[in-house]
Amino acid sequence: MRKALASLVALGLVASFAASPAVAAKGKKKKVTKTISETIDVTALPFPNYSSRTGTALPGCTAGEEGVHKHTHPFETPGAGTLTLAMSGFTGDWDLYVFNSDGVAIARSDQEQAGPAMAPAEEKVVMPMGKGESYELVICNWAGAPQASASLEYVYTV
């Protein structure tokens, strides 16, 4: 009888330890990483705007006309994550900007590809973003050929 009782208690302990991780796992929600990837093709005329000279409120070529000098891509974040907006291989001088929902430029890549600086034909913005936020991603032509492409990648968790 003692052996049977000891075996039964031991079996109960083994079963409770085996069940513990399964119960604990149900309580924790595993985070899943997702990625949004897009290519944004833009056709735009140059708009070399020195806002300090022209008195415009918007920086650089973002002061140009939508659909003529710039392309604005609305973006809403489905979860907290990191945005990478990049372009390369273009001819001339193109720029990237990120505006928040208040219309304030919060990130930019506006290297000088024309003139004495002659930076490589690359622009890139990498920045964290919160869940459920709205942004405007602006791709504009400062002084470049009329066509360029940008890549958007947003990696977030749910």
Side-chain angles (χ1 to χ4, degrees):
M1 177 88 166
R2 280 186 168 181
K3 277 187 166 180
L5 183 59
S7 295
L8 188 56
V9 169
L11 184 60
L13 287 172
V14 168
S16 68
F17 283 121
S20 292
V23 171
K26 286 183 182 178
K28 289 184 179 179
K29 187 176 179 184
K30 187 175 181 178
K31 292 192 175 197
V32 177
T33 300
K34 293 189 175 189
T35 302
I36 296 171
S37 296
E38 295 181 45
T39 299
I40 306 165
D41 295 319
V42 179
T43 300
L45 297 174
F47 190 77
N49 176 41
Y50 293 97
S51 55
S52 60
R53 287 191 220 155
T54 60
T56 58
L58 293 170
C61 54
T62 65
E65 189 176 331
E66 182 66 38
V68 177
H69 307 107
K70 67 180 180 178
H71 171 78
T72 301
H73 186 81
F75 185 70
E76 295 205 16
T77 58
T82 301
L83 170 76
T84 302
L85 182 62
M87 59 191 310
S88 63
F90 51 85
T91 301
D93 193 345
W94 283 75
D95 297 331
L96 301 172
Y97 291 83
V98 178
F99 288 85
N100 66 14
S101 59
D102 294 327
V104 176
I106 57 172
R108 66 174 55 185
S109 179
D110 53 2
Q111 297 186 68
E112 188 177 331
Q113 284 93 12
M118 293 303 289
E122 306 171 335
E123 299 288 354
K124 186 175 190 178
V125 172
V126 178
M127 63 177 290
M129 294 179 160
K131 180 180 179 180
E133 296 177 350
S134 297
Y135 298 92
E136 289 187 341
L137 312 178
V138 178
I139 303 154
C140 60
N141 186 349
W142 174 268
Q147 296 178 338
S149 291
S151 64
L152 177 156
E153 182 178 88
Y154 188 66
V155 179
Y156 66 101
T157 55
V158 290

